[in-house]
Amino acid sequence: LQSLSLVGHRLDTESIAALTGSGQMRPMRRLELSQLELPPEAALVIANEPTLAGLRELNLTVNRLGFPGAQAIANSPYLNRLLRLWLS
């Protein structure tokens, strides 16, 4: 699985944690989690997940991440290979 789009699905932080921690996210290159109304805590889960280290594109638009969520993504030690990042 190299690309996954879950646009508009109703997922919460626990769902994101289960998905990213499942071991199925390698070698994920593109992850689209837009329009999910995710809170800042979901960004922390994503930012701290080592299995996402191969991501090149991450779309987190139309969520409720705010500055704390954006900061978590920007400071992630695992997301330093991103070529494209969408936040709004």
Side-chain angles (χ1 to χ4, degrees), residues 1-15:
L1 186 63
Q2 291 188 354
S3 180
L4 180 63
S5 177
L6 296 171
V7 175
H9 287 72
R10 294 292 173 216
L11 300 177
D12 57 13
T13 301
E14 291 79 23
S15 300

Side-chain angles (χ1 to χ4, degrees), residues 17-32:
L19 177 69
T20 58
S22 70
Q24 301 299 314
M25 301 301 280
R26 285 189 183 174
M28 184 69 60
R29 297 291 181 248
R30 182 176 178 271
L31 182 58
E32 188 166 357

Side-chain angles (χ1 to χ4, degrees), residues 39-66:
E41 295 80 15
L44 288 171
V45 168
I46 294 166
N48 291 312
E49 181 52 56
T51 62
L52 297 179
L55 277 181
R56 299 297 185 262
E57 297 183 25
L58 178 59
N59 186 341
L60 294 170
T61 57
V62 193
N63 284 295
R64 298 180 292 123
L65 303 178

